[in-house]
Amino acid sequence: SHDALLLDAGGDWHLFKDGHSSSHTGQNIEALERLVDQEFHRRKLSELLLCFASQFIHARERDPNRKIFTVAVFCSWGKHRSVAVSEALAGALRELGAWAEHEPLCQVAWKEGGCGRGGPCRNCSMDAHTARRNAVAKTASAVLKEALRTAPEL
């Protein structure tokens, strides 16, 4: 069987400071930076990454030969919190040398493919801000490593 690892990104996250959360997505670079830079968000991200690590370890114990894992990150609408957390997780895993692919499943419901007309704005475009996105991935990787270092025995 192929069970998914589940992460609940619901709750009280404020990734957008200017009230434009309904128009932008969790791929917005400013939201991603807030996710890894602000203490409140970083602590919540750390908890989710630790939950991921625990589920991953237990799944590997059940099936040591398994090479592909599906991770479902969810919240209420699938546009902001879950997208930002899954982007950070994928970046952290790539930073650690794993192959990770991120595909927002609710993307078809986003207004015209994002927050802009006919597609995402520059800050939400995955093709923009490469250096800043790489910095988010490095920080998310460091958050994961620190969570694992300070966690009780999994």
Side-chain angles (χ1 to χ4, degrees), residues 129-152:
H129 305 292
T130 304
R132 289 169 71 185
R133 290 183 187 284
N134 289 342
V136 167
K138 284 183 191 305
T139 305
S141 175
V143 169
L144 175 57
K145 288 177 187 176
E146 180 62 16
L148 290 171
R149 188 185 69 74
T150 60

Side-chain angles (χ1 to χ4, degrees), residues 70-141:
T70 300
V71 181
V73 182
F74 61 93
C75 64
S76 300
W77 295 98
K79 183 176 178 181
H80 304 113
R81 297 164 295 191
S82 62
V83 173
V85 169
S86 60
E87 185 61 38
L89 174 60
L93 293 173
R94 285 190 294 265
E95 194 61 32
L96 294 171
W99 175 79
E101 189 174 299
H102 167 245
E103 182 66 36
L105 297 179
C106 293
Q107 192 168 8
V108 294
W110 297 352
K111 177 183 143 192
E112 299 177 19
C115 53
R117 297 205 168 142
C121 72
R122 179 158 168 75
N123 282 346
C124 290
S125 171
M126 294 304 293
D127 296 327
H129 305 292
T130 304
R132 289 169 71 185
R133 290 183 187 284
N134 289 342
V136 167
K138 284 183 191 305
T139 305
S141 175

